[in-house]
Amino acid sequence: VVGDLHGNLHDLCHILDKFKTPGTKHQFVFNGDFVDRGPKQIEVLIILLYAFLQRPGRVFLNRGNHEDMTMNTNSNFHVTTSDHRYYLA
């Protein structure tokens, strides 16, 4: 179970180095708050979504309060992504 990555790609890479590709040997549950603080928020979100799409029965993504439209309207994630025309709904 992994929680509160907050856009920290370094922490996610550390977890992936230790347990390898999500869903191959272990089930992964990511408990929300994927974005909002770290400098690599989009990269973290893309990796998690890719892992979920590759192994939907073994990788689970629970939405946290930082993945809510209201929270992201005034958050760092919205500012980070607004220049790239991305928006987390």
Side-chain angles (χ1 to χ4, degrees), residues 9-25:
L9 184 61
H10 176 75
D11 286 353
L12 178 58
C13 288
H14 177 76
I15 292 164
L16 297 180
D17 283 343
K18 183 171 183 169
F19 295 103
K20 307 302 177 212
T21 305
T24 53
K25 187 174 180 180

Side-chain angles (χ1 to χ4, degrees), residues 19-85:
F19 295 103
K20 307 302 177 212
T21 305
T24 53
K25 187 174 180 180
H26 304 283
Q27 288 188 355
F28 278 75
V29 177
F30 292 94
N31 270 334
D33 296 353
F34 313 129
V35 299
D36 188 33
R37 295 189 189 131
K40 301 288 186 179
Q41 301 173 60
I42 295 172
E43 291 83 349
V44 167
L45 186 60
I46 288 171
I47 290 169
L48 295 178
L49 292 173
Y50 179 78
F52 172 74
L53 291 172
Q54 288 296 308
R55 295 189 172 78
R58 301 200 43 89
V59 176
F60 303 91
L61 305 176
N62 294 325
R63 189 177 83 175
N65 64 317
H66 290 274
E67 286 75 49
D68 183 74
M69 179 81 77
T70 305
M71 184 72 149
N72 281 310
T73 301
N74 299 313
S75 75
N76 186 36
F77 184 72
H78 178 65
V79 172
T80 301
T81 59
S82 62
D83 292 337
H84 303 288
R85 299 181 191 265

